[in-house]
Amino acid sequence: MLEAALGLASQIGLEGLSIGALAEVTQMSKSGVFAHFGSREELQISVVREYHARFEEEVFFPAVREARGLPRLRSMFERWVKRVSVEIDSGCIYISGAVEFDDRPGPVRDALASMVRTWHRALERAIRMAIEEDHLKPDTDPMQMLFEIHGLILALHHDARFMRNPGAIERAGRGFERILAESLNLPAPAASARKGR
């Protein structure tokens, strides 16, 4: 039932998700669906939690098995891009949900925001680890880098899903490399090399 609810939310959005709509898709009675979730709001929150669990399985957990620092950060971004690329036809619940609930306080918005914050904290930790491992410059601003990386994902989603522009995935990758290039902690030239100039 949750699988069907997730698929339905991907197509019509969290706001469109209801007990009746899910009952129709699953060919169950409304009372049966209601007994399982208790309310439309709880149905929506259950979908948000399930989406987050799958996001972690596909993006976060494999990435944290990479070496600390830049390898882990790269893996997180690359897997995030891959996740967005397979959601081009269905849409990302994090992004579509943010549009639907950005100005609507309540438990569904709180659940969405909590999941996004959890992912952002994981990315921020990866950036800070890259600084600690001397892969990025000590003066790198983790929050600024996080903001720019998230911006790439939003642009990718917009260009690939809404505008149907080809090459959006490649442009996101180049953008990521440009962001990193500004902060890479490159080794200083050797003394002998400097003298030979």
Side-chain angles (χ1 to χ4, degrees), residues 66-81:
E66 299 291 338
R68 288 168 57 99
L70 215 47
R72 187 174 299 178
L73 180 59
R74 279 187 191 281
S75 180
M76 292 171 87
F77 179 77
E78 288 166 5
R79 289 177 183 280
W80 195 7
V81 166

Side-chain angles (χ1 to χ4, degrees), residues 9 11 21 60 62 71 85 105 107 111 114 126 139 143 148-149 156 164 167 171 175 178 180-181:
Q11 293 170 16
F60 177 69
S85 69
S114 174
D139 62 352
M143 295 308 295
E148 292 178 21
I149 290 172
L156 167 60
R164 302 288 176 179
R171 280 192 287 277
R178 188 171 293 133
L180 289 185

Side-chain angles (χ1 to χ4, degrees), residues 16 20 24 26 30 35-36 38 41 70 72 119 131 134 142 144 160 165 169 181:
E24 187 177 334
T26 57
K30 287 185 180 180
H36 187 82
E41 190 173 80
L70 215 47
R72 187 174 299 178
W119 173 234
I131 297 169
D134 290 327
Q144 181 64 32
N165 286 339
I169 292 171

Side-chain angles (χ1 to χ4, degrees), residues 10 14 23 31 34 47 58-59 75 77 83 97 109 117 120-121 125 127 134 136 138-139 146 154-156 159 188:
S10 296
L14 281 170
S31 59
F34 186 84
V47 165
E58 293 178 27
V59 180
S75 180
F77 179 77
R83 171 81 189 205
R109 186 190 188 283
R117 284 191 199 101
H120 279 191
R121 282 194 296 267
R125 278 196 305 273
I127 294 167
D134 290 327
L136 297 176
D139 62 352
L146 169 61
L154 294 175
L156 167 60
D159 271 31

Side-chain angles (χ1 to χ4, degrees), residues 9-53:
S10 296
Q11 293 170 16
I12 64 176
L14 281 170
E15 179 57 28
L17 186 61
S18 67
I19 298 290
L22 184 57
E24 187 177 334
V25 167
T26 57
Q27 297 184 328
M28 293 179 62
S29 67
K30 287 185 180 180
S31 59
V33 175
F34 186 84
H36 187 82
F37 291 103
S39 68
R40 176 173 179 253
E41 190 173 80
E42 190 53 44
L43 167 62
Q44 293 168 325
I45 292 171
S46 295
V47 165
V48 170
R49 289 177 181 149
E50 179 64 17
Y51 182 85
H52 183 72

